[in-house]
Amino acid sequence: MNDAEGSEYDRLFYPFLFEGGKANIEEVLAQVRHSTIEKCREVIDLRRATLDHSGEQIVAAGRAMARAFANGATLLAFGNGGSATDAQDMVTELLNPPFPDWLSLPAIALTNDIAVVTAVANDVGFDNVFARQVIAFGRAGDIALGISTSGNSSNVLVAFEQAKKQGLLTIGLAGYDGGKMMHSPAVDFCINVPSDHIPRIQEAQATVYHAFLGIIHILIKKER
């Protein structure tokens, strides 16, 4: 098989490229350009909708988190799939700030220790993979940040319930209509991204937690 025919990998993953016929490069580029612009519009519109719907809550949650950090809190972040990577991203930026005037703040991603996650999932049940770590690491006054695109992830909800019992500040990021997270008494602040498109939800949720980071560091800097 030569390069023009494509590799076996190409044919397995992109069969539509080898179905015959010739594509017009200008048409392909025009479609890509149109798709990119439309996605950008969707992202911007959803961010605006989230700000309009939850702007005051975002600021209030950021203030509460800043107060907790000022009192020595550690943030525990968790979620599944893409939400796990968002939790890891926020923890990374707390531990290793992207700006020189931001302080490093204590944080743990409960998705990181695969030995713990798989042990708890196997021995106790997947619903408990985050709650067991909250029991081990959480102290009164710490922060539990849970992310779920549906708002219905059972292991995230169970972790919030445990965190609330232990006196942690609980912050949730949800999508769709907020799901069970929106109505849970165990969640102090639930920021909902009003969309049913998972990629757009996750992009807007990333904007929300980066807003949290900005608020936290502005307020901490004022107190220094």
Side-chain angles (χ1 to χ4, degrees):
M1 180 178 293
N2 59 41
D3 290 341
E5 294 174 331
S7 68
E8 183 178 357
Y9 173 93
D10 293 333
R11 289 180 173 276
L12 284 171
F13 283 91
Y14 310 106
F16 55 87
L17 295 176
F18 306 95
E19 291 174 352
K22 293 184 178 180
N24 181 298
I25 187 63
E26 294 301 324
E27 291 179 0
V28 171
L29 290 175
Q31 290 174 5
V32 170
R33 188 180 299 113
H34 175 76
S35 174
T36 302
I37 291 171
E38 286 304 305
K39 287 177 181 177
C40 289
R41 285 175 179 161
E42 289 174 8
V43 171
I44 291 168
D45 288 346
L46 185 55
R47 286 170 171 166
R48 285 175 176 160
T50 303
L51 179 63
D52 290 342
H53 183 265
S54 302
E56 292 184 3
Q57 264 205 315
I58 291 170
V59 173
R63 287 182 179 277
M65 295 167 78
R67 287 193 297 270
F69 277 121
N71 291 324
T74 295
L75 181 138
L76 310 179
F78 44 92
N80 301 287
S83 298
T85 62
D86 282 339
Q88 291 166 335
D89 181 42
M90 182 164 187
V91 167
T92 298
E93 296 202 10
L94 285 167
L95 294 173
N96 301 285
F99 303 110
D101 60 334
W102 283 15
L103 293 175
S104 177
L105 296 171
I108 303 171
L110 302 188
T111 59
N112 281 5
D113 193 332
I114 195 62
V116 170
V117 170
T118 54
V120 175
N122 185 62
D123 298 343
V124 185
F126 195 69
D127 282 358
N128 296 282
V129 293
F130 302 136
R132 283 297 182 100
Q133 294 184 77
V134 170
I135 293 171
F137 297 122
R139 302 167 302 162
D142 282 345
I143 305 164
L145 177 77
I147 307 173
S148 168
T149 55
S150 67
N152 292 319
S153 302
S154 58
N155 56 1
V156 172
L157 296 170
V158 171
F160 276 139
E161 292 169 3
Q162 184 61 46
K164 194 66 176 176
K165 290 178 185 176
Q166 293 178 220
L168 278 71
L169 172 67
T170 52
I171 312 287
L173 302 183
Y176 291 82
D177 62 355
K180 295 178 182 178
M181 186 188 294
M182 179 63 71
H183 305 288
S184 172
V187 181
D188 295 318
F189 297 93
C190 181
I191 311 301
N192 186 49
V193 174
S195 173
D196 58 3
H197 190 185
I198 290 175
R200 301 293 90 82
I201 292 171
Q202 292 176 323
E203 289 157 357
Q205 287 179 331
T207 301
V208 170
Y209 69 73
H210 279 98
F212 287 160
L213 291 169
I215 294 167
I216 289 164
H217 285 285
I218 287 170
L219 293 177
I220 287 177
K221 189 175 181 180
K222 284 184 177 180
E223 295 298 321
R224 288 163 61 186

